[in-house]
């Protein structure tokens, strides 16, 4: 069965959803929508789809859509798509507020629709390999820092970047919430928080120190997992894992090779597979909602 897909919002990231759907086996990219008719035309022409300015015009023709519009619009777009009976891949963060996320979850459950959330880094092959090496973490550190660019300035860095790491740590620990949060952060180049640090004690008692910045000089995305007698370090960009462990009185280290794959292709292929098989997505709407709740708690505490 061919899945008929559409992409709503084909800006910086949405164009890649369109590119990948157009080449994915068993999928037909039917239409792309963008509030800018020019942009919709450009991407539709590039990938052989129909262009529409108003996403409602494509809903009769598709089974599923990716929603890749600015975060502040996710809810209003998603709720209409759900009411039209569509399955959704919603870019992260799922919505701007937890109440909006809850409303989408309720509507999807009522209609038996799939919602997958675009926490792309979960499909990074280095993270997938790392999961097999994790035993019982005692402490976690993550850092996601990037130079300033004029994108996603409608949200704080906690919601834009840090939420990836919050979601990953929660999925590693298998928890849905936090016990305690301490924070620090600042507005430097914008009227939103551009950098933040959070000390988060998760349910179950493991603590993580999470850093996010969009005003750094360098781009770096690192995860460190400390566990009894070993230490794992993941570099998301290099898709590389290093493992250090105690060997007698010495510390030994090894680099673990990871086969390079495009995370977004893995994510969209997984979404399509969920639609075919009826299984649960790797990143459910509830996961997206729980990560958002923690990210908002951190943001509110900084305020
Ligand atoms: P962008 O501004 O480059 O693109 C958004 C596009 O949506 C624009 O072309 C805009 O014209 C269009 N648009 C706005 N409202 C619309 C509507 N109602 N209907 C149709 N089109 C509409 O933004 P972006 O950087 O591509 O980010 C989009 C989303 O993707 C955000 O939610 C962001 O958080 C998320 N994102 C996720 C990752 C990730 O790693 N998973 C990375 C980047 C962006």
């Amino acid at each position: 069965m061919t899945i008929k897909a559409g992409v709503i919002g084909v800006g910086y990231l949405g164009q890649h959803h369109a590119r990948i759907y157009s080449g994915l086996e068993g999928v037909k990219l039917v239409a792309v929508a963008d509030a800018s008719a020019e942009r919709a035309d450009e991407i539709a022409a590039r990938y052989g789809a129909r262009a529409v300015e108003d996403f409602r015009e494509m809903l009769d023709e598709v089974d599923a859509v990716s929603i890749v519009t600015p975060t502040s619009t996710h809810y209003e777009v998603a709720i209409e798509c759900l009411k039209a009976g569509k399955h959704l891949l919603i870019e992260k963060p799922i919505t701007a507020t937890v109440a909006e996320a809850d409303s989408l979850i309720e509507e999807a459950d009522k209609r038996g629709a799939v919602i997958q959330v675009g926490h792309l880094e979960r499909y990074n092959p280095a993270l997938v390999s790392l999961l097999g090496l994790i035993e019982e973490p005692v402490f976690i550190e993550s850092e996601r820092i990037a130079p300033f660019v004029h994108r996603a300035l409608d949200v704080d860095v906690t919601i834009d970047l840090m939420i990836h790491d919050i979601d990953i740590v929660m999925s590693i620990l298998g928890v849905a919430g936090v016990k305690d949060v301490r924070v620090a952060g600042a507005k430097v180049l914008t009227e939103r928080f551009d950098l933040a640090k959070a000390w988060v004690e998760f349910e179950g008692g493991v603590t993580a120190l999470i850093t996010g910045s969009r005003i750094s000089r360098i781009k770096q995305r690192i995860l460190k997992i400390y566990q009894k007698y070993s230490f794992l370090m993941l570099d998301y960009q290099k898709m590389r894992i290093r493992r250090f462990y105690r060997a007698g009185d010495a510390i030994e280290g090894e680099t673990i090779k990871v086969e390079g794959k495009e995370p977004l292709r893995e994510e969209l292929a997984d979404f399509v597979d969920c639609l075919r098989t009826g299984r649960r997505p790797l990143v459910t709407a509830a996961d997206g909602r729980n990560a958002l709740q923690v990210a908002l708690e951190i943001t509110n505490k900084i305020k």
Side-chain angles (χ1 to χ4, degrees):
M1 177 189 79
T2 300
I3 305 276
K4 287 176 274 167
V7 180
I8 305 176
V10 282
Y12 165 76
L13 185 60
Q15 63 181 318
H16 295 294
H17 283 245
R19 168 178 58 82
I20 292 170
Y21 281 134
S22 73
L24 213 53
E25 204 182 320
V27 178
K28 180 165 173 42
L29 176 70
V30 172
V32 302
D34 200 285
S36 154
E38 211 181 317
R39 180 69 178 169
D41 285 343
E42 179 195 340
I43 301 300
R46 197 183 297 164
Y47 299 114
R50 184 163 96 82
V52 296
E53 203 176 329
D54 185 334
F55 70 90
R56 295 168 194 87
E57 287 173 42
M58 69 156 80
L59 294 181
D60 282 346
E61 303 162 28
V62 296
D63 305 308
V65 294
S66 279
I67 299 177
V68 202
T69 56
T71 299
S72 49
T73 66
H74 285 184
Y75 179 74
E76 66 197 47
V77 174
I79 197 79
E80 281 209 46
C81 295
L82 283 176
K83 286 183 173 161
K86 307 301 147 187
H87 300 293
L88 311 182
L89 194 161
I90 310 178
E91 260 311 327
K92 54 73 20 197
I94 179 169
T95 48
T97 69
V98 173
E100 288 175 349
D102 284 337
S103 162
L104 293 185
I105 291 170
E106 194 185 325
E107 191 65 30
D109 284 351
K110 213 159 67 187
R111 294 173 181 273
V114 172
I115 300 183
Q116 179 170 327
V117 185
H119 282 278
L120 179 66
E121 205 79 284
R122 289 254 218 127
Y123 291 88
N124 185 311
L127 180 71
V128 174
S129 296
L130 184 88
L131 296 180
L133 302 171
I134 298 176
E135 286 158 4
E136 274 191 42
V138 292
F139 184 64
I140 298 178
E141 268 184 285
S142 76
E143 184 180 61
R144 186 172 297 264
I145 60 177
F148 186 68
V149 286
H150 274 273
R151 282 196 299 105
L153 301 182
D154 60 331
V155 292
D156 296 284
V157 71
T158 43
I159 306 298
D160 183 28
L161 297 185
M162 218 182 217
I163 195 165
H164 283 287
D165 302 298
I166 294 167
D167 166 64
I168 286 166
V169 174
M170 289 173 87
S171 76
I172 287 172
L173 299 177
V175 299
V178 299
K179 276 165 75 171
D180 196 11
V181 175
R182 292 182 212 172
V183 297
K187 298 173 184 172
V188 180
L189 296 185
T190 74
E191 295 315 307
R192 300 271 189 169
F193 293 111
D194 296 312
L195 63 93
K197 280 187 182 279
W199 176 103
V200 186
E201 185 184 354
F202 287 92
E203 285 170 359
V206 176
T207 295
L209 193 57
I210 304 176
T211 299
S213 169
R214 59 183 176 199
I215 53 164
S216 162
R217 255 176 27 85
I218 56 161
K219 184 171 177 183
Q220 186 153 285
R221 300 171 164 190
I222 304 281
L223 176 67
K224 296 175 186 168
I225 311 256
Y226 299 82
Q227 51 193 9
K228 198 75 180 161
Y229 302 127
S230 75
F231 161 59
L232 304 168
M233 191 163 112
L234 163 68
D235 184 324
Y236 290 101
Q237 289 179 98
K238 294 184 180 147
M239 294 187 181
R240 188 181 71 184
I241 301 169
R242 301 188 73 196
R243 176 173 169 263
F244 300 90
Y245 52 92
R246 187 169 167 180
D249 290 339
I251 302 289
E252 299 210 352
E254 60 178 347
T255 299
I256 293 154
K257 267 195 159 2
V258 176
E259 189 197 337
K261 288 182 184 162
E262 185 182 3
L264 188 59
R265 180 176 296 276
E266 299 296 299
E267 179 185 282
L268 298 191
D270 195 39
F271 175 53
V272 169
D273 190 58
C274 286
L275 303 186
R276 285 221 177 82
T277 60
R279 72 172 167 79
R280 254 164 68 99
L282 178 66
V283 188
T284 62
D287 293 335
R289 177 239 183 250
N290 293 340
L292 177 68
Q293 186 168 43
V294 175
L296 288 173
E297 187 175 338
I298 291 170
T299 317
N300 291 334
K301 278 224 168 152
I302 303 175
K303 280 179 190 160

